[in-house]
Amino acid sequence: MPLTTAPDTRPTSSMSAAILDLLLPYHRTTDPSPAAAEAFAHQLRRIAGFVRAGEPVVFTLPGFPCKSPNPAKVLGHLPDQGERLSLGFLNTLCEEIERVHPPGARVIICSDGHVFGDLIRVPDDHIDAYADGLRRLIRESDLHRLSVFDLRDVLGDLPHDAKRAQVCRRYAPTLEALRAEVRSEDHTLALYRGITRFLVDDTADFTGTRSALQRACRTRAYGVIQRSRAWGDLIAEHHPGSVRLSIHPQPIGAPKFGIRLLDAADVWTTPWHSAAVHRTDGTWTLMPRTRAEQLGRLVRRDGRPSHYEQG
């Protein structure tokens, strides 16, 4: 229920900047210096559209695909405390926006695991179970400002390979265009290298040489980026006008706003590539499971591994 407040008479531009100011402390970027709201013209325009209409600001966040297939990094294939905290953070952010903009805000979690499940070597039934687990967490925790959107909402019960092929045919850039972009744009090159690194780190059962694994992962990284771009275009078509968030670092002023869900030593770390650790000072962080288990004891919730408590 919206908070009871006096009508806000600030101009649309001022209101939009006030909303964006609430996101800036969590901006995920590789730029060394912070920037004021005025540096994010694309996001301000999108937010202003909702403010003028007196509607909730709609954010779309591609991510939350599935857990890493590497057991050295995660506690299992279902959402755990890392996802629980991240979803709670996003819902709280919407509540904070509601204090500035009474219609509030919504975040649509665009769970993209099925888009590239074959490339990241995760079974489709694990991806379904993960997305269903997210929906259950949202429902049980009454995070009513959040929702989950995935390929099942677009293409129903088609076989997963058919869904992937259809999305690629309609939306994905060509491999040649993507290779040229990696060669010419530093941001795309950094993304390509980051995804390649994740694919290498997520591989737990490769029997060949390290160099062979890296070559294979470089090839797969192009496919992941192609399909990620395709998924982004599909989201834009189904949720026009939304403010696009990203779990990847983004330059200041980019069309996508990178957002940090939880504290971690590496700006690329996400809850689905790690385990949550509750520090002795009461704060939370993310790290690989094998490192987390050296710092504390495993905590279970509802009979399943949840997180680590630092000793």
Side-chain angles (χ1 to χ4, degrees), residues 287-308:
M287 64 182 67
R289 181 194 64 80
T290 51
R291 183 176 162 217
E293 67 183 4
Q294 297 172 0
L295 298 179
R297 65 179 183 87
L298 178 65
V299 176
R300 293 180 176 271
R301 183 167 178 166
D302 300 326
R304 293 194 294 106
S306 171
H307 61 279
Y308 286 90

Side-chain angles (χ1 to χ4, degrees), residues 250-261:
Q250 299 292 329
I252 290 170
K256 295 178 282 189
F257 185 94
I259 191 160
R260 174 172 47 84
L261 301 175

Side-chain angles (χ1 to χ4, degrees), residues 79-142:
D80 52 37
Q81 184 70 356
E83 281 80 7
R84 185 178 287 107
L85 291 168
S86 298
L87 294 173
F89 159 73
L90 291 170
N91 196 74
T92 298
L93 192 57
C94 291
E95 292 175 346
E96 291 299 313
I97 290 172
E98 195 170 311
R99 299 178 191 278
V100 174
H101 174 59
R106 297 190 296 116
V107 177
I108 302 171
I109 306 292
C110 301
S111 182
D112 48 6
H114 283 306
V115 177
F116 36 67
D118 57 325
L119 293 175
I120 59 176
R121 308 292 195 259
V122 175
D124 285 304
D125 60 336
H126 283 196
I127 295 170
D128 278 335
Y130 180 85
D132 291 343
L134 293 177
R135 291 183 171 93
R136 188 163 50 252
L137 282 177
I138 289 170
R139 184 175 62 253
E140 291 174 352
S141 301
D142 193 28

